[in-house]
Amino acid sequence: MTPRKGASNCRFSDPVSARHTLRNQTFEAVFQPLAGGRMLSLRHADHGDLIVSLRDASFPPAQWPKAGAFPLFPFHNRVRNAAFRLDERKIQLSANAANGLDTMHGPAHQRPWHVTDKGTSFIAMELVFAPDHDWPYHFTARQRFELYEDQLIVALELTNSGSMNMPGGLGWHPYFQPTYDGQVFTDAKTQWQENQETNRPEAFEPPHSIESCALQFGITEHFANWSNATARIGIGTTIALSATIGLSHLTLLRQKDYLCIEPTSHVAGAFATLPEPPAETGLCILSPGQTITGTVTLQVNRQDTSNKP
């Protein structure tokens, strides 16, 4: 079977009629399934915008704006030189134009999704992916968002729907409002870095306590074995993320205009460890029909209503 061409340079379609809005007494969330299954905005009744709002989702799929929140299937972060080895052969992917020779964050957020179920406070979306130049395997990805009084719960699911083994993982990539003080507090037990010679990720014991991580602008930090991460964003709103064991890795990035706290199933660079990824990298080799899942909970401190630092 010859793979189809991957994501085009055409823009996503963003008709207002295709957007979906969830509301309860605390939150309002807007989604555009046609634009990569994205959350466009998330507002809190007391604290306003929690993520950087994406007002126009009609952008080229491979040149995504740093706003909203999108799903990470079937991998996150970079695959160096857009290639890896599996089953004694080299798998070549299409590079992202914005990332040189590399590809980044998987093709799922560059494809239209469709809604499978919806209520006033929840929405479920699905992507049935057929092989193309961006990814040569069949998979089905699902995400479900549900609003509660003081929580947003995001459930992710990836199934190998093909007939061959497939490397894969999942995650969620929100662009939160900029951090108030540059601090992210987490109970992560491990930190990772990329070996510059081999491009393989390596775990190490950090020289300081991970509990309080002072992020530098533009430096991506990678952690693992975490269950909670807390930060103050905007002008002082406290957010807390927690995740199930299926999302045991965590990526943090601080920029002037946003803060990324990304729960993921595997460490960045894990594809460099193929064809036999160590268990601690979190990267799975999914057999046909196999499914992996992960759930993220985002909680906002409802006591912090003064909006003052």
Side-chain angles (χ1 to χ4, degrees):
M1 176 179 177
T2 302
R4 299 180 303 159
K5 188 176 180 179
S8 70
N9 291 323
C10 297
R11 293 176 174 269
F12 274 131
S13 177
D14 183 26
V16 174
S17 61
R19 294 187 175 195
H20 296 263
T21 301
L22 307 182
R23 292 188 183 91
N24 64 10
Q25 292 182 338
T26 308
F27 294 101
E28 178 184 271
V30 180
F31 300 85
Q32 178 51 282
L34 297 181
R38 272 173 170 76
M39 173 186 284
L40 304 184
S41 64
L42 179 64
R43 289 184 58 83
H44 189 278
D46 296 327
H47 304 291
D49 287 322
L50 300 178
I51 64 174
V52 179
S53 293
L54 179 54
R55 305 191 186 285
D56 181 3
S58 58
F59 55 88
Q63 300 174 34
W64 56 92
K66 304 301 190 288
F70 60 80
L72 298 166
F73 295 98
F75 62 88
H76 86 98
N77 213 273
R78 292 178 184 270
V79 174
R80 295 290 183 185
N81 299 312
F84 59 90
R85 299 196 68 83
L86 188 68
D87 296 333
E88 299 183 349
R89 64 190 181 106
K90 180 181 179 180
I91 307 297
Q92 185 66 55
L93 311 176
S94 295
N96 294 135
N99 295 292
L101 299 176
D102 303 333
T103 188
M104 197 166 187
H105 291 332
H109 74 107
Q110 300 182 47
R111 302 294 189 278
W113 291 55
H114 70 275
V115 175
T116 56
D117 198 7
K118 184 190 175 187
T120 57
S121 62
F122 76 91
I123 188 170
M125 290 182 273
E126 183 179 78
L127 170 66
V128 178
F129 188 90
D132 62 22
H133 292 173
D134 290 332
W135 188 253
Y137 304 97
H138 291 270
F139 70 82
T140 300
R142 299 181 179 90
Q143 47 180 346
R144 177 187 170 94
F145 299 83
E146 188 158 6
L147 304 179
Y148 292 88
E149 181 181 3
D150 61 349
Q151 294 180 338
L152 164 69
I153 294 183
V154 184
L156 306 171
E157 179 180 300
L158 173 67
T159 299
N160 178 356
S161 51
S163 58
M164 300 185 294
N165 289 342
M166 179 190 86
L170 41 77
W172 190 51
H173 194 314
Y175 291 92
F176 290 107
Q177 293 291 332
T179 175
Y180 166 70
D181 55 9
Q183 299 283 334
V184 175
F185 299 89
T186 177
D187 61 352
K189 305 298 188 298
T190 311
Q191 191 165 4
W192 290 79
Q193 63 185 3
E194 183 181 68
N195 184 304
Q196 296 302 308
E197 294 183 359
T198 65
N199 293 330
R200 293 170 66 96
E202 297 178 346
F204 69 99
E205 293 186 8
H208 54 80
S209 171
I210 299 179
E211 181 180 346
S212 176
C213 181
L215 298 177
Q216 301 180 48
F217 285 113
I219 304 298
T220 305
E221 303 276 8
H222 304 284
F223 301 96
N225 302 317
W226 73 289
S227 60
N228 291 281
T230 303
R232 296 181 71 192
I233 61 171
I235 54 176
T237 302
T238 300
I239 60 169
L241 278 81
S242 58
T244 59
I245 194 170
L247 295 168
S248 61
H249 290 261
L250 186 69
T251 296
L252 306 178
L253 173 62
R254 179 192 184 193
Q255 295 285 22
K256 178 181 177 181
D257 299 324
Y258 59 83
L259 170 67
C260 293
I261 305 178
E262 306 164 35
T264 61
S265 62
H266 59 281
V267 68
F271 274 68
T273 69
L274 288 167
E276 297 181 359
E280 60 267 23
T281 67
L283 182 61
C284 295
I285 305 296
L286 282 73
S287 58
Q290 184 178 352
T291 295
I292 57 175
T293 62
T295 300
V296 182
T297 299
L298 169 63
Q299 187 160 357
V300 179
N301 184 355
R302 290 181 57 83
Q303 303 302 316
D304 180 14
T305 60
S306 64
N307 278 338
K308 296 180 181 179

